[in-house]
Amino acid sequence: DGGAPQPTVIARMLERRMTAFPGQKKAEDAWRQYFKPGMRVGLKINRLGRPLVYTARELTEAVATGVMAAGVKPADVIVWDRHADHFGPTDYKPGTGRLGERIQTGGRYDAAKMLHASGGPCPLDTTVAETDVTVNLPVLKDPGGAGVTLAIKNTSYRCYRHPRQAHGGNCHAPLAAADHNPLKTTTI
């Protein structure tokens, strides 16, 4: 396998976690606790460490499969990250994914929805407004200014136009401010 992610192993690990966390016996019941038919679900990936470190496509597809098992239509699952230039080289391509999910770039911002950060206002990415909930699928990284980061920074900062404006004070106060934003998020 050469160290490549194994889709069946990832799916089993995710299923175990999804049933254990809410105390369900069946994975479908666990997914239905969080997702309902008619919802629009954003899967926020991170590709900043490409070509080697980015959200594994196998994990994204396992989450999309679970969300769809809860009754969400494939076209209502949006896999996204901020910039088009972050898509290469990865195995994510904008368009329709293997399961029927939409894969798209963000990079369009709503000036009416702002994070007021230490460096000034940061408009919210409109992809967030298209969804009812954002599922965070981050990667562990060390971007320098904030130290090692993972979950909160992926959704809080990567959903805004000018995330660097929110890096003052080693991100402590801006992270708290970004966490109280209009996003409805969950991290898997």
Side-chain angles (χ1 to χ4, degrees), residues 93-119:
K93 305 290 179 237
T96 302
R98 191 177 67 77
L99 304 173
E101 74 279 20
R102 293 175 10 205
I103 302 171
Q104 68 185 43
T105 62
R108 298 170 310 278
Y109 299 93
D110 185 347
K113 295 181 181 170
M114 298 276 192
L115 164 68
H116 295 282
S118 58

Side-chain angles (χ1 to χ4, degrees), residues 46-129:
N46 188 307
R47 294 180 323 268
L48 284 178
R50 71 204 179 291
L52 300 176
V53 179
Y54 57 92
T55 303
R57 180 70 190 183
E58 296 83 358
L59 175 61
T60 305
E61 288 184 354
V63 173
T65 298
V67 169
M68 291 175 205
V72 176
K73 294 177 186 173
D76 288 337
V77 177
I78 304 169
V79 176
W80 72 283
D81 202 359
R82 285 189 330 147
H83 298 296
D85 62 337
H86 290 177
F87 272 86
T90 71
D91 52 356
Y92 290 97
K93 305 290 179 237
T96 302
R98 191 177 67 77
L99 304 173
E101 74 279 20
R102 293 175 10 205
I103 302 171
Q104 68 185 43
T105 62
R108 298 170 310 278
Y109 299 93
D110 185 347
K113 295 181 181 170
M114 298 276 192
L115 164 68
H116 295 282
S118 58
C122 302
L124 181 66
D125 195 298
T126 58
T127 304
V128 175

Side-chain angles (χ1 to χ4, degrees), residues 88-168:
T90 71
D91 52 356
Y92 290 97
K93 305 290 179 237
T96 302
R98 191 177 67 77
L99 304 173
E101 74 279 20
R102 293 175 10 205
I103 302 171
Q104 68 185 43
T105 62
R108 298 170 310 278
Y109 299 93
D110 185 347
K113 295 181 181 170
M114 298 276 192
L115 164 68
H116 295 282
S118 58
C122 302
L124 181 66
D125 195 298
T126 58
T127 304
V128 175
E130 293 176 33
T131 60
D132 298 306
V133 65
T134 298
V135 179
N136 186 13
L137 300 173
V139 295
L140 186 64
K141 59 193 173 296
D142 180 2
V148 176
T149 65
L150 180 65
I152 193 170
K153 197 165 172 285
N154 189 46
T155 51
S156 295
Y157 287 171
R158 295 297 166 206
C159 295
Y160 294 96
R161 173 178 276 161
H162 307 296
R164 292 218 181 274
Q165 289 179 322
H167 279 72

